[in-house]
Amino acid sequence: MFRPVSRLICGLFLLFFFGRAGAQQIEYLTPTPLVDRIHVQAEPVRDTGEIPLYLIAWGGDVATIHTQMEGVFQKYGFNFKLKAEDNFSRQVESCLRGETSYLRGTMDMITEAAEVFARQGIKLQVVVQITWSVGGDVMVVRPNIKSAKYIRTIALQLDGPHMYYSGYVLKSAGASLRNVKFKFLQELTLPKFDTGGKIIDPVSAFQNDSSLDAVMCISPDADLLTSGGKVGTGSEGSVKGARPYVSTKDAPKIIADVYAVRSDYASANPEKIKAFHMAILEGQKQWVELMKTKSTKYQQVVSRSADILMGSATATADVEGMTLDCQYVG
C-alpha cells in the first residue's frame, strides 16, 4: 500500500532534526528473555474505575477504537481507557500489577509473556483473536540482498510482533539462524515521544546504519523506506535501493493478533470474559460495515485512530492502509 503523506513528513522531520546519524546514536538492546527482565510481583486485578485496555500500532486495533467510540464496551459493562503501548514489557508489567487483566499482542508475544506469568503461578488465556496479518508486516532489504539466506544483520523490535516471523522467513529461505545477528530495538515504529536524540526503532536504525541488511517493520514504515512499496530513491526518508522482500501477504496465517487475559481473573469472572469477547466481535462487525461507507463517522474513527496509534491525527493514510493489510477474523 502506498501511504506517502504522514510517514514522509515524519521521515523528513527526523532527517532534518538528527541528520544522517551515525550508528553510535542507535540504542541496540541486549536480547535476554522477557522472563529474565521483568521482576514485578503479581497483584490481584483491581477491577474498578477506568481500566487500561492496550492497543498496538495495527489496523485491527482501529476496530477496537471504533468499539469504544460507539459505546459498545460501555453497553457490555466495561469502563476502558484505550492506551497505545507498543512496548510489550510495559504491558506485561501493568498486567502483573493488576492495573488490567488484558494483554494485547500477537500469539508469539503472548507465548513469551506466558513464561513470566507462569513463574508466579498464573496462566494466560487467549480470549479473542482480532485479525490475521495479510500484508501489514514486511521485511525490507538492501539492494545487494537477493535472497534472505544472505542476510547477516537484521533490525527488529524486541518482544515485538516480528520475532517469530523473521525467523520463519529466514529459515524458509534456507538461512541458518546461527549466521544472523538480530539487532533489537525498543520501539515497533517511529516513536511518538522525545527520545532524547537516541534512535530506538528499527526504521530509523535501518535509515542510519548501513551495516543492516534487513529490517522488520509494519507496512507504513516499509512504504516510507521503499518509496511507496517499490524501490527506495534515497530521498524523503527512503533508503536508496531498499525494497520489500516479503510480507505477510505471502504468509497470511503467520501473525495472529489477539487479546489474552490472566487466568485467575478469567476463572473468577467468566461472564465478564464472555462479555469482552462479544463486545470485541460486535464492534468489529460494525467497523467492517462502516469501512464500506467512507462516511463522516468512518473518517472520525480513522482520525481518532491515527491520533492514538500513530501519534498524529493527520496520519490517516497510514491507518487506512493498515486496515487493508489485515483480515478481521469475526
Side-chain angles (χ1 to χ4, degrees):
M1 299 299 298
F2 187 16
R3 301 177 281 273
V5 179
S6 57
R7 286 297 171 191
L8 170 58
I9 293 172
C10 193
L12 290 175
F13 170 79
L14 290 171
L15 290 175
F16 172 77
F17 191 76
F18 294 116
R20 300 302 291 182
Q24 72 275 7
Q25 292 180 282
I26 303 174
E27 193 171 84
Y28 291 119
L29 303 177
T30 302
T32 56
L34 188 63
V35 70
D36 293 336
R37 285 182 275 120
I38 291 184
H39 306 289
V40 173
Q41 291 300 307
E43 300 176 34
V45 175
R46 297 186 291 279
D47 196 21
T48 57
E50 197 174 47
I51 300 169
L53 184 67
Y54 291 109
L55 311 168
I56 64 175
W58 177 237
D61 293 62
V62 178
T64 308
I65 293 169
H66 167 77
T67 303
Q68 176 85 331
M69 292 176 67
E70 283 297 292
V72 178
F73 283 131
Q74 294 88 329
K75 167 186 166 182
Y76 282 90
F78 295 105
N79 182 20
F80 286 134
K81 180 178 182 179
L82 301 187
K83 183 177 180 181
E85 184 54 84
D86 290 319
N87 188 317
F88 189 57
S89 63
R90 292 196 192 113
Q91 279 200 52
V92 172
E93 290 175 345
S94 176
C95 193
L96 280 170
R97 285 193 293 265
E99 296 168 355
T100 182
S101 60
Y102 298 97
L103 272 181
R104 169 69 181 91
T106 61
M107 274 301 301
D108 49 317
M109 292 163 69
I110 298 300
T111 301
E112 183 186 24
E115 187 177 8
V116 180
F117 285 84
R119 184 176 59 185
Q120 301 195 44
I122 301 172
K123 293 182 179 180
L124 288 178
Q125 176 181 334
V126 174
V127 292
V128 65
Q129 181 180 352
I130 304 169
T131 59
W132 290 106
S133 176
V134 290
D137 300 278
V138 187
M139 175 187 280
V140 172
V141 298
R142 296 196 187 274
N144 61 306
I145 301 298
K146 306 305 180 186
S147 168
K149 67 182 179 181
Y150 299 117
I151 291 173
R152 293 296 176 264
T153 55
I154 182 170
L156 67 162
Q157 184 195 25
L158 185 64
D159 307 320
H162 300 136
M163 295 201 299
Y164 173 76
Y165 180 46
S166 60
Y168 170 84
V169 172
L170 291 165
K171 292 185 74 173
S172 296
S176 170
L177 299 188
R178 294 182 178 181
N179 296 330
V180 180
K181 187 170 185 179
F182 294 87
K183 307 293 284 289
F184 292 102
L185 294 109
Q186 174 182 313
E187 295 298 313
L188 173 64
T189 184
L190 302 173
K192 298 183 278 288
F193 53 88
D194 182 9
T195 66
K198 297 177 181 178
I199 293 174
I200 60 173
D201 69 277
V203 180
S204 302
F206 193 70
Q207 290 170 327
N208 291 281
D209 185 353
S210 59
S211 73
L212 292 171
D213 294 324
V215 60
M216 304 300 301
C217 53
I218 57 176
S219 50
D221 293 333
D223 285 345
L224 171 68
L225 294 173
T226 63
S227 298
K230 299 175 183 177
V231 178
T233 63
S235 63
E236 300 177 336
S238 69
V239 172
K240 189 171 180 60
R243 72 184 195 284
Y245 175 76
V246 70
S247 81
T248 46
K249 186 175 291 185
D250 307 295
K253 300 294 184 180
I254 289 293
I255 299 183
D257 283 87
V258 302
Y259 273 106
V261 67
R262 285 175 48 158
S263 60
D264 55 344
Y265 181 82
S267 297
N269 300 276
E271 291 305 313
K272 285 194 174 183
I273 300 306
K274 182 179 178 180
F276 179 77
H277 181 96
M278 295 302 296
I280 287 286
L281 295 185
E282 183 175 321
Q284 187 180 106
K285 181 179 179 181
Q286 292 180 6
W287 168 244
V288 170
E289 292 301 313
L290 188 62
M291 287 175 65
K292 301 173 184 177
T293 70
K294 307 297 181 182
S295 62
T296 300
K297 181 184 288 188
Y298 165 84
Q299 298 297 340
Q300 289 171 344
V301 175
V302 170
S303 178
R304 179 63 177 150
S305 299
D307 189 30
I308 294 175
L309 301 178
M310 313 305 288
S312 171
T314 64
T316 54
D318 292 336
V319 168
E320 289 187 281
M322 286 195 299
T323 63
L324 300 176
D325 291 334
C326 67
Q327 176 188 338
Y328 294 98
V329 173

